[in-house]
């Protein structure tokens, strides 16, 4: 059985579904399901690992093998059709997140948090089965029993199973109803994110409802620094089969840092400044030590971590993106720095209008190492190239074309070119202007003369070169500001890449090729150079300039055409 096996998507689990119907819905047979938990113990289908908790200690994760995981994913989908989410149950839902959960508690006088102890393990086989048999689900006892067997291990709901989240929400449905009613009674806000329960209040301390939270006594007066759970709240949680963790009961006043599911909610939903600073420091380590070295050091210090430092930072930045949004200056600053690193990860960035103030201007030293001079000594040609991932260099195809000049070139040997007006070649020399001592022989592996693009590879080198990223989401548009990089009027002593800002003043299709033009003059040496947007991603390749031609066009080929050329190039490799 695998995830790709045929399943009838129209089938639905109902109160009339028997065990054979359930098996059919899950894309298998009832005897095969029974084999999982009778012939071979379900526990044998799980592997165990541990992840550190924020407050210390480790959390046990039980990961099902592929055979059971496929069934559980399909079962989770069916159960999600049956479950009607509570308005304040915010975990494990496609349209919800910790940001939504925290948003209910902003700008409140007090925020009260409690935590349910051993949340998943406290949901037992018996509870799952009883819940499925009862209203509103009313499944047959036999079907409910099979589902409970598939969903639990050693009689408990495991953290790590695909169907544990939806089952936990189903189990907590009546708890959510009662706690929301309790909150409404006392004009409070209530949410539950898995095992994290939060109440928040506008009222002053003396009016906090003792049904929910009881202030402690300190030096003869009441204090919010020492609190206990109200009797009514405690009884509701207990009767629903859960236990409150006394170590995680806290009441936060407005003049303190109020935290809900790890987010600050005093004024608006926000990330902790310490989280931002730590993430920034991690990016700095990756940048100064190098990605490989930083990953190695991180692995040494955190041997239990399953991710490298670069992957860990990528996850942290996605979290900041989720909380602050793609337009946040803080997120943009960190994401820009991270995207400059040589990692397989790429963070989303929005189109940025205020280009002149953009941090991207500070990355010119990196751009110098990503841009290359392409020369042919034999044909006296020069162009610009730029590196992409995996040491793939892009330039214009016409960089490998030499126009014969009548009379002047008549004595030169051109092989089979004597009947032509031009010569196409594929060998060249490439180097970077800030390190001219390292010159490499290279070859044009793929020439797309129609698109005027070439794929170039450096011969027999083990070195990994710095690379640009192609823009994949934001199409270049008229009035966009772009920076043009290249080597126009190239001088022997130059050690820098020429870079200037321009505005896109045209966007069109020429002979089926997506092209554009800019409002600044491009010179022949610019050919093959990249156009970068304010996110420092390549949006085009310089094709031709209007230098010396008042009616000429300062044209570039859009990055979408580079993507097509790379696909065509990969196809030729497969064919060979």
């Amino acid at each position: 059985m695998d995830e790709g096996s045929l399943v009838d998507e129209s089938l639905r689990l109902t109160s009339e579904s028997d065990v054979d119907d359930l098996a059919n819905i899950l894309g298998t047979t009832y005897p095969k399901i029974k084999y999982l938990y009778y012939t071979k113990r379900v526990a044998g289908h799980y592997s165990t690992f541990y992840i550190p908790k924020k407050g210390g200690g480790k959390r046990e994760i039980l990961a099902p093998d592929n055979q059971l995981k496929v069934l559980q994913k399909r079962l989770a989908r069916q159960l999600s059709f049956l479950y009607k989410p509570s308005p304040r149950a915010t975990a494990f839902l496609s349209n919800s997140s910790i940001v939504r959960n925290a948003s209910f508690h902003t700008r409140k006088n007090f925020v009260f948090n409690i935590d349910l102890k051993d949340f998943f393990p406290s949901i037992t086989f018996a509870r799952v089965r009883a819940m499925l048999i009862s209203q509103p689900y009313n499944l047959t006892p036999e079907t409910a029993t099979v589902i409970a067997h598939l969903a639990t291990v050693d009689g408990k709901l495991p953290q790590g199973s695909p169907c544990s989240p939806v089952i936990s929400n189903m189990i907590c449905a009546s708890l959510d109803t009662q706690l929301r009613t309790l909150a409404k009674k006392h004009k409070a806000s209530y949410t539950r994110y898995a095992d994290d329960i939060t109440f928040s209040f506008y009222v002053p301390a003396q009016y906090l409802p003792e049904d929910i939270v009881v202030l402690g006594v300190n030096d003869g007066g009441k204090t919010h620094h020492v609190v206990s759970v109200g009797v009514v709240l405690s009884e509701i949680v207990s009767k629903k089969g859960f236990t409150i963790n006394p170590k995680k009961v806290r009441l936060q006043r407005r003049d303190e840092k109020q935290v809900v599911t790890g987010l600050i909610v005093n004024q608006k939903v926000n990330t902790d400044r310490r989280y931002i600073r730590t993430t920034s420091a991690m990016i700095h380590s990756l940048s100064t030590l190098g990605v490989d070295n930083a990953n190695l050091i991180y692995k040494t210090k955190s041997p239990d971590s399953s991710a490298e430092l670069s992957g860990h930072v990528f996850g942290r930045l996605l979290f900041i993106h989720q909380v602050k949004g793609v337009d946040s200056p803080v997120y943009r600053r960190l994401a820009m720095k991270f995207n400059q690193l040589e990692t397989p990860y790429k963070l989303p960035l929005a189109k940025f209008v205020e280009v002149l103030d953009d941090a991207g201007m500070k990355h010119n030293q990196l751009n110098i190492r990503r841009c290359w001079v392409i020369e042919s000594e034999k044909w006296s040609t020069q162009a610009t190239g730029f590196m992409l991932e995996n040491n793939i260099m892009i330039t214009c195809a016409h960089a490998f074309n030499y126009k014969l000049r009548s009379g002047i070139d008549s004595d030169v040997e051109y092989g089979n070119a004597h009947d032509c007006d031009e010569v196409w070649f594929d060998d060249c020399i490439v180097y970077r202007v800030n390190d001219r001592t390292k010159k490499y022989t290279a070859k044009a592996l793929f020439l797309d003369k129609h698109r005027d693009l070439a794929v170039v590879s450096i011969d027999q080198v083990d070195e990994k070169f710095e690379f640009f990223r192609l823009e994949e989401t934001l199409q270049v548009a008229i009035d966009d500001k772009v920076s043009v990089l290249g080597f126009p009027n190239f001088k022997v002593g130059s050690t820098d890449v020429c870079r200037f800002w321009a505005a896109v003043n045209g966007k069109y299709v020429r002979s089926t090729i997506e092209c554009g033009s800019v409002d600044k003059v491009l010179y022949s040496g610019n050919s093959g150079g990249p156009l970068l947007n304010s996110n420092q991603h390549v949006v085009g390749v310089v094709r031709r300039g209007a230098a010396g031609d008042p009616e000429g066009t300062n044209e570039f080929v859009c990055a979408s055409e580079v993507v097509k050329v790379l696909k065509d190039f990969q196809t030729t490799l497969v064919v060979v």
Side-chain angles (χ1 to χ4, degrees):
M1 182 193 311
D2 58 54
E3 205 164 350
S5 59
L6 294 176
V7 176
D8 190 339
E9 297 291 335
S10 65
L11 295 176
R12 292 289 184 270
L13 182 65
T14 70
S15 59
E16 298 179 357
S17 300
D18 60 22
V19 291
D20 289 316
D21 294 330
L22 173 65
N24 188 32
I25 290 168
L26 299 182
T28 185
T29 63
Y30 181 46
K32 287 183 179 179
I33 291 178
K34 284 196 297 184
Y35 173 82
L36 289 173
Y37 55 82
Y38 282 139
T39 307
K40 181 180 180 181
R41 290 182 64 248
V42 171
H45 291 274
Y46 287 87
S47 56
T48 305
F49 63 94
Y50 298 89
I51 58 175
K53 294 182 179 180
K54 285 185 179 180
K58 295 182 178 180
R59 189 187 307 278
E60 182 183 65
I61 304 295
L62 294 170
D65 62 20
N66 188 62
Q67 183 182 20
L68 182 57
K69 187 177 182 180
V70 169
L71 283 179
Q72 289 177 339
K73 280 185 175 181
R74 293 170 181 171
L75 176 58
R77 185 170 182 270
Q78 290 297 321
L79 293 176
S80 68
F81 294 141
L82 298 177
Y83 171 61
K84 299 296 184 288
S86 163
R88 296 303 172 91
T90 57
F92 315 129
L93 301 171
S94 59
N95 61 345
S96 193
S97 65
I98 59 171
V99 178
R100 178 173 176 267
N101 180 76
S103 68
F104 289 103
H105 305 288
T106 58
R107 296 176 177 270
K108 300 294 179 65
N109 281 342
F110 286 94
V111 173
F112 181 53
N113 294 307
I114 64 173
D115 183 86
L116 302 181
K117 189 176 181 181
D118 299 326
F119 180 61
F120 284 105
S122 65
I123 301 173
T124 62
F125 174 94
R127 290 183 69 184
V128 174
R129 182 179 181 277
M131 178 265 296
L132 293 172
I133 292 172
S134 306
Q135 292 185 347
Y137 307 114
N138 300 316
L139 298 186
T140 67
E142 294 80 9
T143 302
T145 300
V146 173
I147 292 174
H149 274 304
L150 287 174
T152 61
V153 56
D154 294 331
K156 298 175 183 178
L157 200 65
Q159 184 162 355
S161 161
C163 55
S164 291
V166 65
I167 289 177
S168 69
N169 272 343
M170 294 169 79
I171 286 284
C172 290
S174 60
L175 173 68
D176 290 327
T177 299
Q178 291 191 30
L179 293 186
R180 190 179 179 211
T181 300
L182 177 65
K184 280 187 174 181
K185 178 182 176 181
H186 296 288
K187 295 182 172 58
S189 292
Y190 160 77
T191 61
R192 180 186 61 82
Y193 192 90
D195 55 350
D196 290 319
I197 290 175
T198 305
F199 292 87
S200 57
F201 313 89
Y202 284 112
V203 298
Q206 61 267 33
Y207 296 113
L208 286 170
E210 293 194 346
D211 286 351
I212 298 175
V213 56
V214 179
L215 297 176
V217 177
N218 186 21
D219 294 332
K222 290 188 175 181
T223 176
H224 75 284
H225 293 296
V226 181
V227 297
S228 58
V229 180
V231 173
V232 175
L233 172 57
S234 183
E235 286 181 352
I236 292 174
V237 172
S238 179
K239 287 179 180 178
K240 294 302 176 183
F242 294 104
T243 303
I244 295 172
N245 187 345
K247 295 179 181 179
K248 295 189 176 181
V249 175
R250 65 189 187 279
L251 182 66
Q252 303 154 109
R253 199 167 60 188
R254 191 167 187 173
D255 58 355
E256 303 167 336
K257 184 166 65 176
Q258 295 174 322
V259 181
V260 176
T261 49
L263 300 174
I264 310 299
V265 295
N266 293 68
Q267 296 297 321
K268 62 179 182 178
V269 178
N270 210 344
T271 49
D272 193 319
R273 290 180 182 177
R274 290 176 298 180
Y275 191 87
I276 299 293
R277 286 196 293 267
T278 301
T279 305
S280 180
M282 289 176 171
I283 296 172
H284 182 71
S285 294
L286 288 166
S287 178
T288 55
L289 299 175
V291 174
D292 292 340
N293 287 335
N295 282 337
L296 242 123
I297 293 170
Y298 177 74
K299 197 67 180 175
T300 303
K301 292 182 177 179
S302 307
D304 294 334
S305 177
S306 59
E308 295 179 321
L309 178 61
S310 53
H312 179 62
V313 174
F314 179 68
R316 291 175 71 97
L317 288 166
L318 287 179
F319 174 72
I320 296 171
H321 167 262
Q322 180 188 23
V323 176
K324 287 182 167 292
V326 72
D327 295 318
S328 161
V330 172
Y331 167 74
R332 178 177 178 79
R333 174 175 57 82
L334 295 175
M336 285 278 292
K337 289 180 179 178
F338 184 82
N339 279 352
Q340 294 291 323
L341 302 172
E342 312 297 326
T343 75
Y345 308 103
K346 181 179 176 182
L347 290 158
L349 286 165
K351 186 174 288 187
F352 193 68
V353 178
E354 300 298 327
V355 172
L356 296 180
D357 296 327
D358 184 45
M361 288 293 289
K362 300 175 183 177
H363 297 298
N364 197 37
Q365 289 303 312
L366 286 170
N367 292 336
I368 291 175
R369 297 192 61 77
R370 292 167 178 158
C371 287
W372 293 72
V373 179
I374 298 177
E375 289 184 347
S376 171
E377 295 179 357
K378 179 177 181 179
W379 302 107
S380 301
T381 60
Q382 178 261 314
T384 302
F386 62 93
M387 197 67 74
L388 294 180
E389 199 168 2
N390 299 320
N391 285 4
I392 291 177
M393 191 184 299
I394 299 295
T395 187
C396 279
H398 73 253
F400 296 90
N401 176 250
Y402 183 79
K403 303 290 185 184
L404 300 184
R405 295 165 293 174
S406 177
I408 299 176
D409 297 324
S410 58
D411 296 330
V412 181
E413 293 292 335
Y414 302 123
N416 295 325
H418 61 277
D419 294 328
C420 308
D421 293 326
E422 60 184 2
V423 174
W424 287 92
F425 56 93
D426 57 12
D427 295 322
C428 62
I429 299 294
V430 298
Y431 58 91
R432 290 173 288 196
V433 289
N434 64 340
D435 193 4
R436 291 168 180 267
T437 58
K438 286 187 177 180
K439 291 193 175 184
Y440 304 85
T441 59
K443 187 179 291 288
L445 300 182
F446 189 79
L447 293 175
D448 190 321
K449 299 176 184 177
H450 179 59
R451 292 190 176 93
D452 196 11
L453 292 171
V455 178
V456 180
S457 176
I458 296 176
D459 295 339
Q460 298 178 344
V461 64
D462 296 327
E463 186 178 352
K464 286 175 62 177
F465 298 113
E466 294 89 342
F467 58 87
F468 286 110
R469 298 181 190 272
L470 291 175
E471 180 58 69
E472 297 174 353
T473 56
L474 300 172
Q475 294 296 317
V476 67
I478 292 177
D479 294 331
D480 280 359
K481 292 290 190 296
V482 293
S483 58
V484 182
L485 277 65
F487 304 103
N489 301 322
F490 184 58
K491 295 180 175 60
V492 175
S494 174
T495 58
D496 201 356
V497 177
C498 176
R499 174 176 176 165
F500 59 87
W501 289 106
V504 176
N505 61 2
K507 185 82 184 292
Y508 46 87
V509 175
R510 185 194 297 276
S511 301
T512 72
I513 307 302
E514 287 189 77
C515 301
S517 60
V518 295
D519 63 353
K520 297 289 178 64
V521 176
L522 302 176
Y523 295 82
S524 59
N526 277 123
S527 295
L531 272 74
L532 307 182
N533 63 9
S534 56
N535 295 334
Q536 296 294 292
H537 297 159
V538 177
V539 292
V541 182
V542 175
R543 186 179 191 181
R544 61 168 66 105
D549 182 0
E551 297 183 0
T553 304
N554 297 295
E555 187 172 81
F556 64 89
V557 182
C558 293
S560 56
E561 299 298 335
V562 179
V563 173
K564 294 173 186 175
V565 167
L566 290 174
K567 287 182 179 178
D568 291 344
F569 170 58
Q570 293 298 329
T571 300
T572 62
L573 294 180
V574 172
V575 171
V576 173

